[in-house]
Amino acid sequence: MWAYITSHSSLLLRSEMKYPDQDDYSENTSYNIDLEFWSVSYINTPTYLYEITIKEITQKELPADIDKELLKYNMKIFELESTGRKYYIIAGGLLVGKNSWINQDRIFDYNLNLKHDEILASTD
């Protein structure tokens, strides 16, 4: 978990990136992947996730202990799986971006959207 901005309900999950001064650095694989969620109403993830898969699920697939009232206003349910465990994020949408920035502290710009080197996927 890289950042959560309460005032804008924005969540950023970011993979680690190798830098030129680190072992196993390669220009071909030196990038990170950002999962940028907006209008977040629910987060149930640990601070570190490994080898994740993510998919959008329906309300019927949501565990019973999560409040269905969080789904108002066309919210989407994202299921993240890591090391055999499932976690959930309820948000307005998700953008997946690829970046190779050297400035690792970049979070969100003033428009609340990162400028990614490449957009890999996005929900409406």
Side-chain angles (χ1 to χ4, degrees), residues 13-64:
L13 303 180
R14 176 174 285 166
S15 68
E16 288 190 54
M17 179 174 110
K18 293 282 186 182
Y19 292 93
D21 62 344
Q22 292 178 294
D23 293 338
D24 300 329
Y25 170 80
S26 166
E27 285 188 24
N28 296 331
T29 60
S30 184
Y31 59 85
N32 61 24
I33 302 295
D34 284 347
L35 302 176
E36 184 180 345
F37 298 87
W38 60 87
S39 300
V40 176
S41 66
Y42 181 84
I43 304 169
N44 172 15
T45 65
T47 55
Y48 286 93
L49 296 165
Y50 301 94
E51 298 180 17
I52 68 169
T53 58
I54 185 167
K55 66 180 181 177
E56 189 175 339
I57 63 170
T58 66
Q59 182 174 344
K60 292 178 186 175
E61 298 169 282
L62 188 66

Side-chain angles (χ1 to χ4, degrees), residues 55-64 66 68 71 75-79 88-90:
K55 66 180 181 177
E56 189 175 339
I57 63 170
T58 66
Q59 182 174 344
K60 292 178 186 175
E61 298 169 282
L62 188 66
I66 298 176
K68 307 296 188 263
L71 300 172
M75 299 298 264
K76 296 172 175 44
I77 308 162
F78 299 96
E79 180 181 83
Y88 299 91
I89 296 172
I90 298 175

